[in-house]
């Protein structure tokens, strides 16, 4: 079902496949508790990161090493042959000949798909352009499923940059595989979801509600998914200045929240969550980041055929 597949979008999956990854991820947590296994001994992961990354790159590398495999790659194109003028296609062909599986991140939409067309090895999209970050959305969904035992029937709010944030958009697409009660989309007017995303969510019957006010909906939600305003993706810096600092979650704001509310954030955060919130029961974003390891262990083991 998974062996040798490419992962380019969360919409590549069916619901039962996502739930299977959740169950495998629980098993991977048991391996983590023991330290490591030799499940992927002899296998090599290549990481081709043309954009900065901390959590995605390091968690993939950790996941591979926890399963007994090895890692090659780069996180700075200036120290690769790209700096000498090598094109991406040749770089992918080279990595494909060295490694058994490739994770790629790029600022341009479609580069992961190009890599998948070139490489014989499985390719995982570690984030491209403003649309797709499939493994992050699996982690997000897994964190909710772990907390509540379900995703269906929950009220979920996505706050911040809904226009350029690929993690937020991938998360919305991931929710479309389940049946949340309602999805609240909270953003400044300039950062509302793009029309094609809105049309997609409505076409499959998801109940969405758009507003600029978090206070309006905060008391009703089970999950608050906070995103960073994506400064680097604004075509006009003046537009960023209009919306930066639009939202900042504080302890005071949460006084009327549901008792079991969880706050997620794909990270990194800038100033959209006060650090004092880190010490409350609502803060789940560091647990969410930690879940990146077992989820990515699951994906590597499944795609390389070590498990089914």
């Amino acid at each position: 079902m998974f062996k040798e597949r490419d992962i380019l979008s969360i919409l590549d999956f069916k619901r039962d496949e996502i739930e299977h990854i959740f169950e495998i991820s629980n098993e991977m947590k048991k391996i983590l508790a023991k330290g490591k296994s030799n499940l992927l001994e002899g296998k090599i992961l290549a990481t081709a990161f043309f954009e900065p990354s901390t959590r995605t790159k390091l968690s993939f590398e950790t996941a591979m090493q926890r399963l007994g495999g090895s890692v090659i790659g780069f996180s700075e194109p200036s120290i690769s042959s790209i700096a000498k003028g090598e094109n991406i296609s040749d770089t992918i062909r080279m990595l494909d000949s060295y490694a058994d599986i490739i994770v790629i991140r790029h600022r341009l939409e479609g580069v992961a798909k190009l890599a998948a067309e070139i490489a014989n090895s499985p390719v995982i999209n570690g984030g491209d352009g403003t649309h797709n970050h499939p493994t992050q959305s699996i982690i997000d969904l897994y964190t909710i499923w772990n907390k509540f035992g379900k995703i269906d029937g929950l009220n979920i709010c996505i706050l911040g940059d809904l226009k350029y944030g690929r993690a937020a958009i991938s998360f919305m697409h991931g929710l479309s595989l389940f049946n949340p009660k309602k999805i609240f989309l909270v953003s400044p007017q300039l950062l509302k979801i793009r029309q094609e995303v809105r049309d997609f969510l409505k076409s499959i019957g998801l109940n969405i509600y758009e507003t600029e006010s978090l206070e309006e909906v905060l008391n009703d939600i089970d999950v608050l998914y906070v995103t960073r305003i994506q400064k680097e993706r604004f075509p006009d810096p003046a537009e960023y200045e209009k919306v930066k600092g639009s939202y900042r979650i504080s302890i005071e704001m949460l006084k009327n929240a549901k008792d079991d509310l969880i706050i997620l954030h794909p990270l990194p955060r800038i100033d959209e969550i006060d650090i004092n919130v880190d010490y409350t029961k609502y803060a789940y974003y560091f647990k969410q980041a930690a879940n990146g390891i077992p989820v990515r262990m699951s994906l590597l083991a499944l795609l390389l055929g070590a498990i089914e």
Side-chain angles (χ1 to χ4, degrees):
M1 184 163 61
F2 289 92
K3 186 179 180 181
E4 298 181 355
R5 277 175 60 172
D6 302 307
I7 298 178
L8 303 179
S9 163
I10 187 68
L11 294 176
D12 293 340
F13 295 96
K14 299 175 182 175
R15 173 176 174 149
D16 63 334
E17 293 174 329
I18 295 290
E19 291 175 331
H20 183 60
I21 294 168
F22 292 168
E23 291 165 359
I24 297 295
S25 298
N26 280 347
E27 296 302 311
M28 291 298 172
K29 282 187 171 179
K30 297 176 184 176
I31 292 177
L32 281 173
K34 295 177 182 176
K36 65 182 297 185
S37 84
N38 295 322
L39 199 59
L40 294 182
E41 186 174 7
K43 300 294 185 181
I44 297 175
L45 164 70
T47 57
F49 279 66
F50 296 87
E51 265 194 331
S53 171
T54 301
R55 277 150 297 276
T56 302
K57 183 174 185 297
L58 295 183
S59 64
F60 263 115
E61 292 178 353
T62 303
M64 191 63 174
Q65 292 173 14
R66 291 288 191 187
L67 292 174
S70 306
V71 180
I72 62 171
F74 57 85
S75 58
E76 176 50 67
S78 65
I79 62 171
S80 74
S81 288
I82 295 287
K84 302 175 184 174
E86 182 177 65
N87 63 54
I88 289 177
S89 297
D90 286 356
T91 301
I92 296 303
R93 288 188 183 93
M94 180 269 295
L95 293 176
D96 189 35
S97 67
Y98 293 169
D100 301 288
I101 189 166
I102 300 168
V103 180
I104 185 168
R105 165 174 287 201
H106 202 283
R107 65 180 178 81
L108 296 178
E109 180 84 14
V111 170
K113 184 174 185 297
L114 171 68
E117 290 171 353
I118 294 170
N120 293 315
S121 305
V123 170
I124 299 175
N125 184 355
D128 69 339
T130 58
H131 285 71
N132 290 301
H133 197 347
T135 61
Q136 178 64 53
S137 53
I138 297 172
I139 294 163
D140 303 337
L141 296 167
Y142 175 66
T143 303
I144 297 170
W145 182 79
N146 245 248
K147 162 64 178 175
F148 294 100
K150 63 178 183 179
I151 297 170
D152 297 341
L154 297 177
N155 281 329
I156 297 173
C157 175
I158 308 172
L159 170 82
D161 185 348
L162 310 184
K163 182 177 182 180
Y164 298 117
R166 62 188 170 207
I169 293 168
S170 266
F171 181 55
M172 292 177 212
H173 284 154
L175 289 174
S176 74
L177 301 173
F178 295 86
N179 297 300
K181 183 178 180 182
K182 197 166 188 176
I183 302 175
F184 298 95
L185 302 175
V186 182
S187 68
Q189 192 67 25
L190 280 173
L191 296 176
K192 292 168 70 73
I193 59 169
R194 297 190 295 268
Q195 188 62 44
E196 72 270 18
V197 181
R198 182 184 296 107
D199 290 345
F200 170 76
L201 297 177
K202 289 185 174 180
S203 72
I204 56 174
L206 284 182
N207 185 9
I208 65 172
Y209 176 77
E210 296 183 66
T211 178
E212 295 184 42
S213 170
L214 176 62
E215 288 77 7
E216 180 187 347
V217 304
L218 185 58
N219 297 353
D220 293 326
I221 58 179
D222 302 293
V223 178
L224 173 57
Y225 189 98
V226 183
T227 67
R228 175 177 62 92
I229 306 293
Q230 308 268 308
K231 179 180 180 180
E232 68 276 21
R233 305 201 191 281
F234 278 72
D236 181 357
E239 295 293 293
Y240 171 75
E241 293 299 321
K242 293 178 183 176
V243 296
K244 72 175 184 180
S246 295
Y247 302 101
R248 182 176 173 83
I249 309 301
S250 65
I251 290 179
E252 291 72 26
M253 291 178 67
L254 299 171
K255 61 184 178 183
N256 294 320
K258 284 187 175 182
D259 191 55
D260 59 351
L261 168 77
I262 63 171
I263 300 174
L264 303 181
H265 192 308
L267 303 175
R269 69 171 157 182
I270 305 301
D271 56 3
E272 54 275 5
I273 301 176
D274 188 293
I275 59 171
N276 290 317
V277 176
D278 297 359
Y279 306 101
T280 71
K281 62 185 177 184
Y282 306 114
Y284 261 65
Y285 28 94
F286 294 121
K287 293 177 184 176
Q288 176 190 9
N291 283 335
I293 304 295
V295 167
R296 287 172 171 137
M297 289 169 69
S298 302
L299 293 171
L300 292 171
L302 287 164
L303 296 182
L304 289 171
I307 57 174
E308 293 184 353

